Amino acid sequence: MQRVAALCTALACLLVVAVLAYRPVTAANVQEVLIGEVLPLTGNFASLGQQYLWAGQTVEDIVNNDYPDLAVPLGPGKGFPGLGGAKMTMVVRDDQSRGELARTIAEQLITVNKIHFLNAEGTSGNTSIVQPIAESYGIPMACHPCASPTLTEKGLKWFWRTGPHDKTMVASVFSFLREWREHGGPSDLKTIAFLTCDNLFCQDNRKVASELAPQSGFKVVLDLTTKTGATTLASEVQRLQAANADVLFLVQYPPETTVFQGDAKRAGFMPKVLATSNGAYSDQTWLEAQKKTNGGVGWLGRDPTAIDLVHDRPSWKKVNEIYKKYSRGQNMGELAMREITGLLWMADTINRAKSVDPAAIAKAAAETNMSPDQLIIDYKGIRFDKSNQNELATGVVTQIGWDGEKHTIWPWEMAKRANFKIIFPSPSWQERDSKPKPAS
């Protein structure tokens, strides 16, 4: 009995010590909100990672400084008002575009840097590798540009996505192709070929497209998967030429897209329609490079926003001015817009939680109901379904014109506002070379 009593006394003492040691972090005690960022600043996805970095620097600037006329979350005022003016600090680490390193870094950010919210890697494949780390530690995590549908289909408690996934956006492309016939488009587009990379993002795109193509009246005549990091696609181009599909659905990251363009030009290959999904098409740096060669003219693809129409928003113009301070003058592309929108949502969520406690942040996230007028992107708002996916995120279809800019071509009512004549068929390489270049 004495041993039992002594054991109970010892356990009671440990419990008292644990209770005394635990001090909930109140708003008054928070001086700094730490946002962990695992970014691919080097390696195959570096061009994307650089834009994510600029987006993070933009949001850090917006939150920590007073922009009284900026109608976005935490634009007016300095710091987090719900936390007594605490400042935001982005803790950035480079994962070199490697998933295993991303996982290690994420754990370090949580256990060593003691971050309060993890902003994921920006590519779906590497983000999927990081997800179990945040889930096991019970730390809020988000990825806003990540588009793989599976990321929010796992039943995870601590992961959120503000941007649309590819079941929404790839469906936009096929809705356009199907409806185009009834809006003055060609009636003889009947075959399609796929050229997709081998990682999670590309293969999820391929899966969605494989389901939608037959439903939209297309016969799949060739389905090619390439290695991420490929340095030549000459044999794939030859097979595409032989298949002679009316439409090429291409999903590749910027380096592989550039390789494809070089091999396609040498072979003189260009399909009637080149449709794409994210990857290079979302990369503003790649888009700017196309202005030197007309290489992207006629390409059409899915976007989460009508980028040519949102330029008129005062909030977009002001945020773009801030972004250009960090991007060395490059305008926001849709990738940066998705990232900035998501990071501002994260800041707003923490501010509404009035705490950096994970449970409080999760509760505030679940209660999110942001209206379109708070956004720089033309989602219908931000509100999460049971899987923590923003159910108000949308998709449009755009096409690159001879001016090197994207123009909205679907939905049709938005296309009327954009007033852009669709380019068809895709210009040959000779025509691209002979026409004036926007960059020159």
Side-chain angles (χ1 to χ4, degrees):
M1 289 295 293
Q2 288 180 338
R3 288 183 179 179
V4 173
L7 180 59
C8 289
T9 301
L11 289 173
C13 288
L14 287 173
L15 181 59
V16 170
V17 169
V19 170
L20 291 175
Y22 176 71
R23 292 285 188 274
V25 181
T26 64
N29 293 334
V30 178
Q31 302 297 317
E32 187 177 38
V33 175
L34 302 177
I35 307 296
E37 288 215 281
V38 186
L39 299 180
L41 297 176
T42 55
N44 200 60
F45 311 132
S47 178
L48 309 179
Q50 189 63 61
Q51 291 163 75
Y52 299 145
L53 176 65
W54 296 334
Q57 291 169 326
T58 299
V59 172
E60 190 176 39
D61 188 326
I62 290 170
V63 172
N64 291 339
N65 295 289
D66 184 17
Y67 293 97
D69 300 323
L70 181 54
V72 298
L74 278 72
K78 293 184 177 182
F80 293 85
L83 292 170
K87 71 173 186 176
M88 172 187 275
T89 298
M90 311 297 278
V91 185
V92 181
R93 298 289 184 271
D94 175 20
D95 67 11
Q96 302 172 25
S97 302
R98 295 163 47 203
E100 292 302 315
L101 183 56
R103 180 168 57 188
T104 299
I105 291 172
E107 189 161 15
Q108 290 173 348
L109 287 169
I110 294 168
T111 60
V112 178
N113 298 99
K114 307 294 183 183
I115 60 166
H116 303 122
F117 212 135
L118 179 62
N119 190 42
E121 203 257 16
T123 65
S124 294
N126 288 349
T127 292
S128 69
I129 295 173
V130 172
Q131 281 180 314
I133 300 299
E135 198 72 11
S136 64
Y137 282 99
I139 291 294
M141 172 181 170
C143 185
H144 315 292
C146 293
S148 171
T150 56
L151 294 177
T152 48
E153 294 175 347
K154 303 175 182 179
L156 300 180
K157 178 181 178 181
W158 297 102
F159 180 80
W160 288 265
R161 172 167 49 199
T162 56
H165 56 62
D166 278 322
K167 284 184 179 178
T168 296
M169 291 195 284
V170 175
S172 299
V173 172
F174 282 93
S175 292
F176 164 77
L177 291 173
R178 183 178 62 252
E179 297 168 9
W180 191 15
R181 303 158 186 160
E182 302 167 3
H183 288 80
S187 59
D188 60 344
L189 299 179
K190 298 179 180 179
T191 58
I192 191 168
F194 301 151
L195 183 66
T196 57
C197 74
D198 60 358
N199 74 2
L200 176 68
F201 156 69
C202 291
Q203 288 305 298
D204 275 358
N205 267 266
R206 174 185 165 275
K207 180 181 178 182
V208 175
S210 297
E211 294 171 355
L212 293 176
Q215 298 173 20
S216 302
F218 289 96
K219 179 183 178 181
V220 179
V221 295
L222 188 63
D223 184 355
L224 298 178
T225 296
T226 62
K227 185 176 178 57
T228 302
T231 56
T232 178
L233 294 171
S235 63
E236 286 82 1
V237 167
Q238 288 177 349
R239 294 180 65 185
L240 288 168
Q241 274 185 308
N244 194 31
D246 298 318
V247 179
L248 172 61
F249 182 70
L250 180 144
V251 188
Q252 300 283 345
Y253 283 97
E256 294 81 4
T257 300
T258 302
V259 170
F260 165 78
Q261 288 177 299
D263 288 336
K265 184 174 183 178
R266 281 186 285 274
F269 169 68
M270 181 56 63
K272 294 178 185 176
V273 176
L274 199 159
T276 186
S277 175
N278 208 342
Y281 196 75
S282 294
D283 179 4
Q284 191 65 23
T285 301
W286 178 84
L287 287 166
E288 293 297 329
Q290 303 312 299
K291 294 179 181 179
K292 300 176 183 178
T293 64
N294 286 332
V297 174
W299 288 42
L300 63 87
R302 55 60 152 193
D303 268 326
T305 187
I307 194 164
D308 51 335
L309 302 180
V310 298
H311 283 180
D312 294 333
R313 292 187 183 185
S315 59
W316 186 93
K317 291 179 180 179
K318 182 60 181 177
V319 172
N320 191 49
E321 288 176 15
I322 301 169
Y323 179 81
K324 288 166 70 174
K325 293 194 307 186
Y326 303 100
S327 68
R328 300 186 289 275
Q330 180 172 292
N331 287 326
M332 285 189 297
E334 64 89 356
L335 200 67
M337 291 169 64
R338 273 191 275 174
E339 183 79 338
I340 289 170
T341 298
L343 285 167
L344 286 172
W345 164 78
M346 288 166 62
D348 176 73
T349 299
I350 294 168
N351 190 59
R352 286 185 288 108
K354 298 182 179 180
S355 171
V356 291
D357 176 68
I361 293 173
K363 182 176 183 294
E367 294 170 351
T368 298
N369 191 14
M370 295 179 71
S371 60
D373 58 2
Q374 295 176 274
L375 310 177
I376 61 167
I377 202 166
D378 54 10
Y379 301 159
K380 295 178 182 178
I382 300 178
R383 185 179 67 219
F384 295 101
D385 62 18
K386 293 181 180 179
S387 66
N388 294 341
Q389 166 65 43
N390 179 16
E391 60 187 7
L392 301 178
T394 54
V396 304
V397 179
T398 59
Q399 186 180 49
I400 301 173
W402 286 106
D403 59 355
E405 304 293 342
K406 288 181 178 181
H407 301 269
T408 302
I409 58 174
W410 186 92
W412 304 108
E413 64 274 14
M414 298 180 78
K416 288 179 182 178
R417 288 169 51 201
N419 194 30
F420 174 75
K421 184 178 180 181
I422 296 173
I423 297 172
F424 176 81
S426 293
S428 68
W429 292 106
Q430 291 84 355
E431 186 177 0
R432 294 168 195 271
D433 286 341
S434 64
K435 291 256 190 174
K437 316 299 188 294
S440 60

